[in-house]
Amino acid sequence: MKNLLFALIFVLNITEFVQAKIDFIFRINPYATHQPILYEIARNTSGPIIEFGCGDGSTDLLHSICKESGRLLITIEDDLTWLDKFRTKYL
């Protein structure tokens, strides 16, 4: 819990800096407000990433980060509409 709290404080302090890069490259819609935090947590960790549910605000971002760093991304999705949207893009 202490490490998670530290990570969140760290991310909140640099969110404004990271926001510009994410706005330019990844942000698809105004509801993707979690991207700066997701970006920093993914960039400052190692190992596989498990994404619970595809989304316009997370899946493309995580694929980009994982491809760049050679990490495995596992996305679990139970909605066939979302699954089909991203299956054609990444499989």
Side-chain angles (χ1 to χ4, degrees), residues 6 11 21 90:
F6 173 76
V11 169
K21 181 175 182 179
Y90 293 111

Side-chain angles (χ1 to χ4, degrees), residues 39-85:
Y39 177 84
E40 284 304 313
I41 290 172
R43 298 285 294 182
N44 288 289
T45 58
S46 60
I49 295 176
I50 299 176
E51 176 187 29
F52 292 94
C54 298
D56 290 326
S58 60
T59 304
D60 290 333
L61 175 65
L62 290 174
H63 268 275
S64 176
I65 291 169
C66 288
K67 182 177 180 182
E68 179 182 300
S69 62
R71 294 168 70 179
L72 175 64
L73 173 62
I74 300 168
T75 300
I76 298 171
E77 181 59 68
D78 67 345
D79 184 320
L80 290 178
T81 303
W82 281 103
L83 184 63
D84 288 340
K85 178 178 181 174

